[in-house]
Amino acid sequence: MNAPFSWIKEYTDLEDVSVKELCDALTLSGSKVERTTCEADEIKGVVTGKVLEMHRHPNSDHLWVCSVDVAGETPVQIVTGAQNVSVGDVVPVALDGASLPGGVHINKGKLRGEISEGMMCSLGELNLTVHDFPECIEDGIAILNPDTPVGEDITKILGLDDVSIEFEITSNRPDCMCVSGLGREAAATFRRPFRFPAPTVQKAIGDVKDLLKVINETPDNCLRYCGAIVQNVRVKPSPEWMRHRLRLCGVRPINNIVDITNYVMLEYNQPMHAFDYRNVKDGTIVIRQAKEGEHIVTLDDVDRELNPEIMVIADTEKPIAVAGVMGGEYSGTYDDTHTVIFESACFNGINVRLTEKALGMRTESSIRFEKELDPANTRPALMRALQLVEELDAGDVVYGIVEVSGNTPERKHLPLDPDQINRFLGTDLPGDEMVRILRSLEFEVSDDMIVTPPTFRGDILLMNDIAEEIARLYGYDKIPSTIMTGVATAIPSDRQHFEKALASRLVASGLYETKTYSFMGVKTLDLIGVPEDSPLRKVVKISNPFGDDTAYMRTTMLPSMLEVVAKNANARVPSAALFEIGVVFLADEDENKLPQEPKELVIASYNDLDFFGIKGILEDVCDEFNMGTLRCEPLTTGNMYHPGKAATVYAGDIELGTMGELLPKIASNFNIKEKVTIAQISVEKLFEAKGETKRFSPLPKFPALTRDLALVADLATPSATLEKEIRSACGDILENLKVFDVYTGEKIQAGKKSIAYSLTLRHSDRTLKDEEADAAIKRALKRLEAVGAFIRS
């Protein structure tokens, strides 16, 4: 919200307050100032000058050499090519060394041999338009009023020295989205009276009820509607003071009728509209919901399809405006308009917001309506518009206002308990001071300390809201600092402890942690070969994505990790071993339910860890968290792993995920040329498999026995299958089991492999006998024969 300092000062006495003091004080009291701007800051050394003489340039057919009086000791000579200047005209003159908007600097020089000691300025060179000064022309020198004094600073003459203050208004304070609201805040902040006289109309003709009828068919969405009529409309430019204020508020002046509606919106925070009476069938305004399939062409020349959720202003035949958003093509005012209907209404904010979204349009009016305006403000704002019509001689006001009401909210009545508010704020304010503060904001406070907020403060609902009003006007900087008591201490859950420890373990294993976005693109799942019937295809769509690459929430973390791998590889990082723990989003069958958000661990490496390297890291994780022995089984399904180089990973009987070498085709989809090994592990399953905290045992007192087994088995038989049988046969006395040799070659039958294991056997409470160890080996060999493994001869 932009507001001129001079306009704010009209509502209270601020003559002894500087712009900086006002900005600092209002920021502390809750109306945050973003910045201040002044058009005069970019214009230096430009004064008014009167053209005394003109003669043709001796070396040019289109240039003039002018003698201009700028109230100096002698006139200045200026060469110009403008053709609209005459002797006696008063014009803006940029003298030698002057500065203009856009960083333009003017210096004395020669034009075709003739000295030019400055430049006469057009509106554009002063960053103005003919909308601001319609008496000037767009492509010529700005000709000022002939009575303008000579030698005066142009910024003061044109009113460019006023300061525009930009405020950041929070959504709960629509009453401050107008200059009068900011004036009220300034008056309360500086403890001065607020001046806001009620508007009046001195004379009127006829009776509005003979010309206008209003029907409200949607009382829940139209809370109040006021209509008035002005006849004998005289469309012309607005006076300079109104154009000046509109410009500083960021609104382009158009004509007196349109400018009046914009001015009242800025002054009262009440959007208005002026309808050409001849385009309103039967002189009847109908506020209703649109009909299915109904259309309207809005003022921006767009044909828009309506639906019953959208409220419209209509006549007896057709919609003429989208309520609270924008008028229709036949609702505006024109140079030949004779009679207008002024509309001042209050619409349901939620309905206006839904209409904005449905039509894809947002206007100054709808921005205000969506924040829930004050229904009681419609009539005073309309009276102010009629007053301006009378003052600007823009037409003849017809007597009376047609007003219909809808279902307006009831006013709140809240008790004021000074002791409770002091305890809440940590202050020691007397009740009288609290009452004074509230009344300065136009709150009603009864003798029995019941507070009734003004109708424009719909955000005041609880005692806490009243306390906030008192605190901000008393001064947050005056409230003493206190140490908070009873603060709860956040204690991480077991799951959070586990995830933190897991990340630390992986870092200790030599992996680098990455963090990526939780989005994926429309074609991402195609890049990693996910089948069409895969559950990963059930995605959560984002309603307002940044683009196709962020259209969905990810259902797998692999693409995100491969993008990181590609970035490193393409940046010529020779090798990398990476991991990420993150959330994936799995859509529920019921679209009304929130998606599941399990966590995944993804490990990826190129030119560093191979299949067995990542397997070793996962074994270390299982050992760290007491999950038992890691087990791998060949993976024969899936479209992303290299055949024969992938496995399903288990901790005991719990399936953790998959790991293996990525298909070169998948890697190439991400522009990766290196061989990539990956693991996709469920963090949920890891946590489920986590055992109790490790308990260490004393060093063994009794000696161990060792045995070696050299076996011959099918080439396709996994070592994990053989290990399982050996462990089952040996039982508790098996302390350690490891592979120390694998051989395939000429001395081994085709399709077979030799694999040798070293076993460490020990009893915890006595010395193990050779007979017991041999018996365990025999049991193991018998079980191994059942899976096609025999002792190598």
Side-chain angles (χ1 to χ4, degrees), residues 355-369:
T355 298
E356 286 180 319
K357 294 185 69 177
L359 298 180
M361 56 193 304
R362 205 158 186 244
T363 63
E364 283 293 330
S365 295
S366 66
I367 288 172
R368 287 169 164 79
F369 278 123

Side-chain angles (χ1 to χ4, degrees), residues 12-80:
T12 189
D13 181 15
L14 296 175
E15 293 304 321
D16 60 334
V17 177
S18 68
V19 173
K20 185 179 186 307
E21 289 171 335
L22 177 72
C23 294
D24 291 344
L26 287 183
T27 297
L28 283 175
S29 66
S31 302
K32 181 184 176 184
V33 174
E34 285 290 303
R35 62 174 180 170
T36 60
T37 56
C38 181
E39 294 168 302
D41 292 342
E42 290 191 296
I43 302 174
K44 304 294 182 184
V46 181
V47 300
T48 56
K50 186 173 184 177
V51 179
L52 302 178
E53 296 178 3
M54 296 179 64
H55 60 269
R56 288 288 185 182
H57 194 295
N59 301 316
S60 173
D61 293 335
H62 71 281
L63 295 178
W64 291 89
V65 178
C66 306
S67 176
V68 183
D69 178 15
V70 292
E73 293 183 2
T74 60
V76 297
Q77 179 172 295
I78 295 177
V79 178
T80 180

Side-chain angles (χ1 to χ4, degrees), residues 487-498 500:
V487 179
T489 302
I491 301 176
S493 65
D494 290 342
R495 171 64 181 270
Q496 291 170 319
H497 277 300
F498 170 73
K500 184 176 181 181

Side-chain angles (χ1 to χ4, degrees), residues 620-655:
D620 183 58
V621 169
C622 288
D623 181 64
E624 174 71 18
F625 297 102
N626 204 18
M627 296 179 184
T629 303
L630 183 80
R631 180 165 55 89
C632 294
E633 293 188 0
L635 178 64
T636 57
T637 60
N639 299 334
M640 64 183 69
Y641 291 109
H642 200 295
K645 297 183 180 181
T648 303
V649 184
Y650 295 84
D653 295 327
I654 298 176
E655 182 179 334

Side-chain angles (χ1 to χ4, degrees), residues 656-668:
L656 301 180
T658 59
M659 61 176 292
E661 184 179 317
L662 192 69
L663 272 175
K665 178 182 177 183
I666 302 295
S668 66

Side-chain angles (χ1 to χ4, degrees), residues 158-179:
L158 298 183
L160 305 180
D161 57 343
D162 200 354
V163 177
S164 178
I165 306 173
E166 182 181 339
F167 292 88
E168 179 186 314
I169 307 300
T170 55
S171 58
N172 68 313
R173 292 299 307 276
D175 59 296
C176 288
M177 293 184 69
C178 62
V179 185

